[in-house]
Amino acid sequence: MTQYIESRRGHITPEMVLIAESEYLEAEFIRAEVAAGRLVIPANKIHLSKRLIPIGIGIELRTKINANLGNSELSSDCNKEIEKVQYAIRYGADTVMDLSTGLGIDFLRQRIIDEVSVPVGVVPLYQVCEELDDITDMTAKNFLDAVEHQAKQGVDYMTIHAALLREHIRYVDERLTGIVSRGGSLTAKWMIAHNCENPFYEHFDELCEIMRQYDVCWSLGDGLRPGCLHDASDKAQFAELEVMGKLAERARQLGCQVMIEGPGHIPFDQIEMNVRRQIEICNGAPFYVLGPVVCDIAPGYDHITSAIGATMAAFHGAAMLCYVTPKEHLGLPEMEDVRAGVIAYKIAAHAADVARHRPNARKKDDQMAKARYNFDWNEQFNLSLDPDRAREYYNKSRNKNTNCQNSNKNENENENYCTMCGPKFCAMRTTHNLNQLRKND
Amino acid sequence: MTQYIESRRGHITPEMVLIAESEYLEAEFIRAEVAAGRLVIPANKIHLSKRLIPIGIGIELRTKINANLGNSELSSDCNKEIEKVQYAIRYGADTVMDLSTGLGIDFLRQRIIDEVSVPVGVVPLYQVCEELDDITDMTAKNFLDAVEHQAKQGVDYMTIHAALLREHIRYVDERLTGIVSRGGSLTAKWMIAHNCENPFYEHFDELCEIMRQYDVCWSLGDGLRPGCLHDASDKAQFAELEVMGKLAERARQLGCQVMIEGPGHIPFDQIEMNVRRQIEICNGAPFYVLGPVVCDIAPGYDHITSAIGATMAAFHGAAMLCYVTPKEHLGLPEMEDVRAGVIAYKIAAHAADVARHRPNARKKDDQMAKARYNFDWNEQFNLSLDPDRAREYYNKSRNKNTNCQNSNKNENENENYCTMCGPKFCAMRTTHNLNQLRKND
């Protein structure tokens, strides 16, 4: 029994009840959304029996964010990756994906699943590829075994590039950056070498069988997502999206939950169209987007280029945002990159939640506004997405001012003015004063 | 003679010719836009006779960004501020505003004007206030003299809060954060204390006379801009906007150039409406927005919360974006905050230019895509908005990989794979390989 099958039978599961509470919605509404395929609960039964706290991902819920982590063949340190996972969750990641491609993939995955309470996603192809000399040596059985093994470990959702068909590959010739999805490029290489159709497409029903058994949620991977603004919204991308729509339908027929992965690199003016198209073609299946990046010329700042696109995507209906860190296009993220990426995406998700008027979304912003107007600095820090950073910057500024000749430290010990302007030019202080003048009138 | 008067007489000035070239547009088109009040060229004749390189600000042009700098009564170091100004311009600020409120305002302003080639803006009220014990001691003459003095120094545009009327003040009572504009709060305090109308409104024609003489561009300040999401798009904000529309018309009648300042803090879903409303009420006068911030709970990251709003604003027609730094709401920016703010806003402006299909806007993005696909790292750095940062991150990752046991350094000296994935999982490398396979077929 999966969450989807239960919902279709009219059953409200304990997970749906929990999600309803955390989203300020009715449990029956959650059930109906799951039944419509518009909401997924990535909760592998194995992980649920350990420490998973279930969450929902869907267009009617608070926007979720995912943090990608994992080692590479060039750099691997299991403890460091676990530390990063914990850091990402501490700053607010709703799910994590272990995208390891280096040594000890299996061990690291199990540790992550055992240690975290958020849903864990993987790309099962990576371990298959890592263990072979070349991806072209892979058989369908290799892959099915890997998926079953990873499902048994407790993985909550899996990215599989089942919708990239052989006939799509030629569309890539018009692109500037070809195929930029790792899974997509490996799948394409396999198809070319064997002159065969996509094995994940061919064995889709068998894969669904495994997914259903553990209630692993599908995350249909977009192997042909654009890797630059030039390639956005092209024939390759949309041909694959059409197949994703059909596979999503098929997966649901077989009792599975499905979400759809999305781009990538998209000019700002094409984001709304991309989201609307996905919703239409995939019948409202939750859209899980990577950014998108809206500007290709800012390596070192792609947490920002993509948080801009992510806000726009979530505003128009994307359900989960996969973070991008400042190291994107340059290297794998370190601890502080993870923090920067997570916070940028918490901002994007929150801005979209406020803009979509989700229940209680603006509550903390209003509390922050009051704390600012009352010069209550501790309350401001407590309400911040990153209290440590806010406190650090404030203290730095205050210490600098204290050392300065013009500081009126003694006179203003209670600091009822903003640290940017000082007492004479503090607008909020002036407003308090003029309100006093008005009362005295 | 101002640029506006020249344009109305059908004259194309040398400045219009320069701007046309840099924007890939026709000079006659630039003239027509100036004549329609939809494009301003903030170029004080005094500054123009020194080293100013004129730029245009308008809905049809590349989106411009401004960097605010200047000392405060709590912290002042003239050389440090000059360094910040130069740093801001190095990273791409199109204009700078000197918002000093501390000691030596006059000297610092003159140095900035003399040393920079970008337009310089100021808020003339700050010096007036700094020199008085209290703003309520100000007379109209104080202010007119200050404006004339600063115009003579060569200031290119001035923020004056002339549209905040006495009758608007009561609307502020419904707000959470009152008046958050420094100039706005001081003006309101003056009006309450004297029980008089806004002196800048009352003496508007005299101010226009000074502006016209030097061709200083008006930047009508929004003294009632919202300071939190709750206060956005309220009665106070829009009452002032109506007056701004009328003053813009009046200023043009008197031969002046005008732009309109905008918020502030606006939920993402209200940004389009705000920009459309400004364009309608102010008849297309260039909209110069501060952010807007789309989320109030991320102090320490407001360069990001506001770059998101700024992209949306520019996409819908804002002409200039005033940067916000990571220190916003916490303190004044240091050098690295200036850099972070400027780059975040270059990203916002560029993303909007691409989205609005401005001439040649996507050229560098396409070059970057090609450089990425060819593993041409030096070209990638050269095309970056911040080449130093991109190179720094890349080198850090590469050095880390080189020290790692799994590094294939000798085998891949030319590094034709991405530093994130390594050779086996590099999607672009795989695409090159599979293209080879297809050719061999």
Side-chain angles (χ1 to χ4, degrees):
Chain A
M1 291 296 282
T2 64
Q3 298 285 341
Y4 180 71
I5 296 171
E6 294 275 20
S7 76
R8 298 294 288 186
R9 295 185 182 167
H11 299 164
I12 294 173
T13 64
E15 292 74 33
M16 294 174 199
V17 173
L18 267 176
I19 289 164
E21 275 170 24
S22 72
E23 302 272 353
Y24 307 98
L25 294 167
E26 296 299 316
E28 167 53 25
F29 179 75
I30 301 295
R31 185 207 61 76
E33 286 289 296
V34 174
R38 288 158 45 92
L39 193 167
V40 295
I41 303 172
N44 184 314
K45 291 168 188 179
I46 310 278
H47 198 194
L48 207 48
S49 73
K50 294 178 179 172
R51 59 173 72 192
L52 177 67
I53 299 168
I55 60 156
I57 300 168
I59 193 167
E60 294 293 338
L61 306 187
R62 188 171 58 75
T63 308
K64 304 303 183 298
I65 70 164
N66 170 67
N68 285 340
L69 296 140
N71 65 23
S72 79
E73 56 179 314
L74 298 179
S75 148
S76 64
D77 175 340
C78 182
N79 288 330
K80 198 76 204 166
E81 289 308 314
I82 295 281
E83 250 185 87
K84 284 186 207 165
V85 167
Q86 284 159 342
Y87 209 54
I89 295 169
R90 173 179 153 195
Y91 281 106
D94 296 294
T95 80
V96 294
M97 284 194 84
D98 175 16
L99 301 187
S100 291
T101 56
L103 293 176
I105 297 184
D106 213 55
F107 174 72
L108 179 57
R109 183 189 307 118
Q110 192 65 65
R111 266 196 67 188
I112 292 173
I113 293 166
D114 292 347
E115 293 188 18
V116 309
S117 60
V118 304
V120 175
V122 301
V123 184
L125 183 63
Y126 291 171
Q127 185 174 2
V128 176
C129 180
E130 201 272 332
E131 290 172 356
L132 297 169
D133 284 336
D134 191 280
I135 189 64
T136 53
D137 299 336
M138 179 185 71
T139 64
K141 189 173 179 313
N142 288 150
F143 188 74
L144 288 163
D145 288 350
V147 168
E148 178 139 34
H149 168 70
Q150 296 180 34
K152 252 186 210 160
Q153 284 186 305
V155 164
D156 301 294
Y157 64 95
M158 289 189 191
T159 297
I160 300 179
H161 301 86
L164 194 184
L165 302 189
R166 232 168 116 202
E167 67 188 52
H168 300 159
I169 296 174
R170 64 196 156 95
Y171 300 144
V172 169
D173 293 341
E174 285 160 46
R175 289 186 159 185
L176 290 185
T177 56
I179 303 179
V180 296
S181 151
R182 298 195 285 202
S185 66
L186 295 169
T187 309
K189 189 177 172 191
W190 191 96
M191 289 193 276
I192 300 286
H194 292 273
N195 205 14
C196 286
E197 190 47 277
N198 182 330
F200 320 130
Y201 179 81
E202 296 279 310
H203 296 272
F204 191 74
D205 286 6
E206 290 154 82
L207 288 168
C208 283
E209 178 56 40
I210 303 168
M211 308 291 251
R212 189 178 60 229
Q213 206 183 327
Y214 298 87
D215 202 0
V216 176
C217 178
W218 275 98
S219 184
L220 284 171
D222 54 336
L224 295 177
R225 66 168 175 267
C228 63
L229 299 184
H230 173 277
D231 296 349
S233 312
D234 72 348
K235 218 167 171 174
Q237 184 195 330
F238 287 140
E240 186 182 31
L241 182 62
E242 290 288 341
V243 181
M244 287 168 136
K246 290 187 185 113
L247 292 181
E249 184 54 34
R250 179 71 188 149
R252 283 187 291 245
Q253 281 169 1
L254 296 173
C256 295
Q257 304 191 83
V258 195
M259 55 184 172
I260 308 289
E261 292 187 13
H265 292 238
I266 302 277
F268 195 71
D269 58 316
Q270 295 175 23
I271 294 174
E272 177 177 357
M273 177 271 285
N274 267 270
V275 177
R276 285 184 192 276
R277 192 156 175 162
Q278 183 274 339
I279 292 172
E280 195 192 315
I281 291 175
C282 301
N283 229 328
F287 201 18
Y288 167 29
V289 292
L290 176 57
V293 158
V294 294
C295 148
D296 286 337
I297 57 171
Y301 297 85
D302 278 328
H303 59 312
I304 299 178
T305 64
S306 65
I308 291 169
T311 307
M312 189 68 161
F315 176 55
H316 287 293
M320 183 153 78
L321 311 173
C322 183
Y323 88 164
V324 171
T325 80
K327 287 277 170 63
E328 185 76 19
H329 300 108
L330 298 168
L332 288 179
E334 308 283 317
M335 295 287 277
E336 286 310 299
D337 301 314
V338 169
R339 178 181 180 179
V342 168
I343 298 290
Y345 274 70
K346 290 302 278 185
I347 290 168
H350 180 71
D353 288 343
V354 168
R356 289 183 71 95
H357 303 274
R358 294 204 160 100
N360 281 311
R362 222 189 54 204
K363 194 174 162 192
K364 276 194 168 184
D365 301 85
D366 292 355
Q367 290 172 336
M368 178 68 86
K370 285 174 198 161
R372 282 186 170 141
Y373 196 61
N374 294 325
F375 304 105
D376 184 343
W377 292 98
N378 277 323
E379 178 73 356
Q380 290 178 48
F381 303 144
N382 291 340
L383 289 165
S384 297
L385 286 179
D386 186 346
D388 301 335
R389 175 59 46 84
R391 199 183 299 270
E392 173 199 334
Y393 283 0
Y394 175 76
N395 286 336
K396 242 189 234 170
S397 298
R398 204 181 49 172
N399 293 340
K400 200 171 158 254
N401 292 346
T402 309
N403 295 332
C404 162
Q405 51 174 350
N406 298 317
S407 156
N408 295 319
K409 198 191 165 202
N410 297 325
E411 201 184 318
N412 296 291
E413 266 181 339
N414 53 350
E415 305 197 3
N416 57 350
Y417 54 84
C418 123
T419 33
M420 298 184 72
C421 310
K424 196 168 177 182
F425 283 91
C426 176
M428 290 194 190
R429 185 186 169 97
T430 306
T431 306
H432 285 289
N433 288 347
L434 73 88
N435 283 339
Q436 202 54 49
L437 283 173
R438 288 168 70 202
K439 269 189 210 148
N440 298 345
D441 254 5
Chain B
M1 293 295 285
T2 65
Q3 299 284 342
Y4 181 71
I5 296 171
E6 293 276 19
S7 75
R8 298 293 289 184
R9 295 187 182 169
H11 298 163
I12 294 173
T13 64
E15 292 73 33
M16 294 174 198
V17 174
L18 267 176
I19 289 164
E21 275 169 23
S22 72
E23 302 272 353
Y24 308 99
L25 294 166
E26 298 298 318
E28 167 53 25
F29 178 74
I30 301 295
R31 186 207 60 76
E33 286 289 297
V34 174
R38 288 157 46 91
L39 194 167
V40 294
I41 303 173
N44 184 315
K45 290 168 190 184
I46 310 276
H47 198 195
L48 207 49
S49 72
K50 294 179 179 173
R51 60 173 72 191
L52 177 67
I53 299 168
I55 59 157
I57 300 168
I59 193 166
E60 293 294 337
L61 306 187
R62 189 171 58 76
T63 308
K64 304 303 183 295
I65 70 164
N66 170 67
N68 284 339
L69 296 139
N71 65 23
S72 79
E73 56 179 316
L74 299 180
S75 147
S76 65
D77 174 340
C78 182
N79 288 329
K80 199 74 204 168
E81 289 308 315
I82 294 280
E83 252 186 86
K84 284 185 206 165
V85 167
Q86 283 159 343
Y87 209 54
I89 294 169
R90 172 178 155 196
Y91 282 105
D94 296 293
T95 79
V96 293
M97 285 195 84
D98 175 16
L99 300 187
S100 290
T101 55
L103 291 177
I105 296 185
D106 212 55
F107 174 74
L108 179 58
R109 183 188 307 118
Q110 191 66 65
R111 268 197 67 188
I112 293 173
I113 292 166
D114 291 347
E115 293 189 17
V116 310
S117 59
V118 303
V120 175
V122 301
V123 184
L125 182 63
Y126 291 172
Q127 187 174 1
V128 176
C129 179
E130 201 272 331
E131 290 172 357
L132 296 168
D133 283 337
D134 193 281
I135 188 64
T136 52
D137 299 336
M138 180 185 73
T139 64
K141 187 169 181 315
N142 289 151
F143 188 74
L144 288 163
D145 288 349
V147 168
E148 178 139 34
H149 168 69
Q150 297 181 31
K152 252 186 211 161
Q153 283 187 306
V155 165
D156 300 294
Y157 65 94
M158 290 190 191
T159 297
I160 301 179
H161 302 85
L164 194 184
L165 302 188
R166 232 166 116 206
E167 68 188 54
H168 300 158
I169 296 174
R170 64 195 156 96
Y171 300 145
V172 169
D173 293 342
E174 284 161 46
R175 289 187 157 185
L176 290 185
T177 56
I179 304 179
V180 296
S181 151
R182 298 194 286 201
S185 65
L186 296 169
T187 308
K189 191 179 172 190
W190 191 96
M191 290 193 276
I192 300 285
H194 292 273
N195 205 14
C196 286
E197 190 48 277
N198 182 330
F200 319 131
Y201 179 81
E202 296 279 311
H203 296 271
F204 192 73
D205 286 6
E206 289 155 83
L207 289 167
C208 283
E209 178 56 40
I210 302 169
M211 309 292 253
R212 189 179 60 229
Q213 203 183 327
Y214 298 87
D215 202 2
V216 177
C217 177
W218 274 98
S219 185
L220 284 171
D222 54 335
L224 295 177
R225 67 169 175 268
C228 63
L229 299 184
H230 173 278
D231 296 349
S233 312
D234 72 348
K235 218 167 171 175
Q237 184 194 329
F238 287 140
E240 186 181 31
L241 182 61
E242 290 287 340
V243 180
M244 286 168 137
K246 289 187 186 114
L247 292 181
E249 185 54 33
R250 179 70 187 148
R252 283 188 292 245
Q253 281 168 3
L254 296 174
C256 295
Q257 305 191 82
V258 195
M259 53 185 175
I260 308 290
E261 293 187 13
H265 292 239
I266 302 277
F268 194 71
D269 59 316
Q270 296 175 23
I271 294 174
E272 177 177 356
M273 177 271 285
N274 268 270
V275 178
R276 284 184 192 278
R277 193 156 173 161
Q278 183 276 339
I279 291 172
E280 196 191 314
I281 291 175
C282 300
N283 229 329
F287 201 19
Y288 167 29
V289 292
L290 175 57
V293 157
V294 294
C295 147
D296 287 335
I297 57 172
Y301 298 85
D302 278 327
H303 59 313
I304 300 179
T305 64
S306 65
I308 292 169
T311 307
M312 189 68 162
F315 176 55
H316 287 294
M320 184 153 79
L321 310 173
C322 182
Y323 88 165
V324 171
T325 81
K327 287 277 170 62
E328 184 76 17
H329 299 109
L330 299 168
L332 287 180
E334 307 284 315
M335 293 288 276
E336 285 310 299
D337 301 314
V338 169
R339 177 181 181 178
V342 168
I343 297 290
Y345 274 70
K346 291 301 279 183
I347 290 168
H350 180 71
D353 288 343
V354 168
R356 288 183 71 96
H357 304 275
R358 294 206 161 98
N360 281 312
R362 221 189 55 202
K363 194 174 161 192
K364 276 194 167 183
D365 301 85
D366 291 355
Q367 290 171 336
M368 178 67 87
K370 285 173 199 161
R372 281 184 171 144
Y373 196 62
N374 294 326
F375 303 105
D376 185 343
W377 293 98
N378 277 323
E379 178 73 356
Q380 290 177 50
F381 303 144
N382 292 339
L383 289 165
S384 298
L385 286 179
D386 186 347
D388 301 337
R389 176 58 47 85
R391 199 183 299 269
E392 173 199 334
Y393 283 0
Y394 175 76
N395 286 337
K396 240 189 236 172
S397 298
R398 204 180 50 171
N399 292 341
K400 199 169 160 252
N401 293 344
T402 309
N403 296 332
C404 163
Q405 51 173 348
N406 299 317
S407 155
N408 296 318
K409 198 191 164 202
N410 297 324
E411 201 185 318
N412 296 293
E413 266 180 339
N414 51 352
E415 304 198 2
N416 57 350
Y417 53 85
C418 123
T419 33
M420 299 184 71
C421 311
K424 196 168 177 181
F425 283 90
C426 174
M428 290 196 190
R429 184 186 169 97
T430 306
T431 306
H432 284 289
N433 288 346
L434 72 89
N435 283 341
Q436 203 51 50
L437 283 172
R438 287 167 71 200
K439 271 189 209 149
N440 298 345
D441 254 8

